[in-house]
Amino acid sequence: MKLAHRFLYYFSGFTIGIIFLVFFLSGKETSCEYGPDARTLKSIRVLKHDYSKQAENFLAEHNLDTVSVNHILKTGDVDFGKSKTHLDSCNVYNVYGEFKTRNLELIIERCSSVATIKKINMLP
């Protein structure tokens, strides 16, 4: 079999497979979140969120709302070096992100049924 025929068979099968995937996966909520940051942030996003008094005061002082926290939970980065991930009860994560040119740090305690935003800091 000639090399050109091999490429033709490969690309025709590849094209049919792509069309098959697009047809069956369109409209479904599929995601490819395989990195440790993405998995951690997704596990925090799906839980109920509670805010500590310090976090509520910070949001009120800086004219922010929960939209900023949700934005950072979608686009932020987790600093696993500062996070405490091997605790028995609840893990504590440091999440960094930017919202409207403001760099923010969220300290989040993730338990089995609730994620508590303990502290929010403004970074320089």
Side-chain angles (χ1 to χ4, degrees):
M1 183 181 294
K2 293 182 182 179
L3 185 63
H5 289 120
R6 289 182 186 174
F7 279 121
L8 180 68
Y9 284 127
Y10 173 77
F11 285 118
S12 62
F14 184 75
T15 304
I16 291 170
I18 293 295
I19 292 170
F20 180 77
L21 284 176
V22 168
F23 179 72
F24 281 106
L25 295 180
S26 65
K28 299 191 188 300
E29 291 186 29
T30 57
S31 63
C32 298
E33 296 170 341
Y34 296 115
D37 279 354
R39 287 188 314 221
T40 301
L41 291 175
K42 184 176 181 179
S43 70
I44 293 171
R45 280 195 311 264
V46 298
L47 296 175
K48 178 183 176 282
H49 296 145
D50 283 342
Y51 293 87
S52 69
K53 289 293 182 190
Q54 190 279 342
E56 289 176 354
N57 291 338
F58 181 89
L59 292 174
E61 287 173 12
H62 295 282
N63 295 325
L64 296 172
D65 57 3
T66 58
V67 172
S68 60
V69 174
N70 290 334
H71 177 75
I72 292 173
L73 289 177
K74 286 187 184 236
T75 62
D77 294 316
V78 180
D79 185 356
F80 289 103
K82 291 184 178 179
S83 300
K84 298 174 184 142
T85 59
H86 298 294
L87 301 176
D88 290 336
S89 59
C90 299
N91 294 331
V92 178
Y93 295 99
N94 289 40
V95 180
Y96 298 94
E98 184 176 343
F99 182 74
K100 292 186 179 178
T101 68
R102 297 178 182 175
N103 291 323
L104 300 175
E105 173 191 27
L106 307 176
I107 299 173
I108 302 170
E109 182 180 50
R110 185 192 65 168
C111 298
S112 61
S113 63
V114 67
T116 305
I117 289 82
K118 293 288 194 182
K119 191 173 183 182
I120 304 174
N121 296 322
M122 184 83 68
L123 298 175

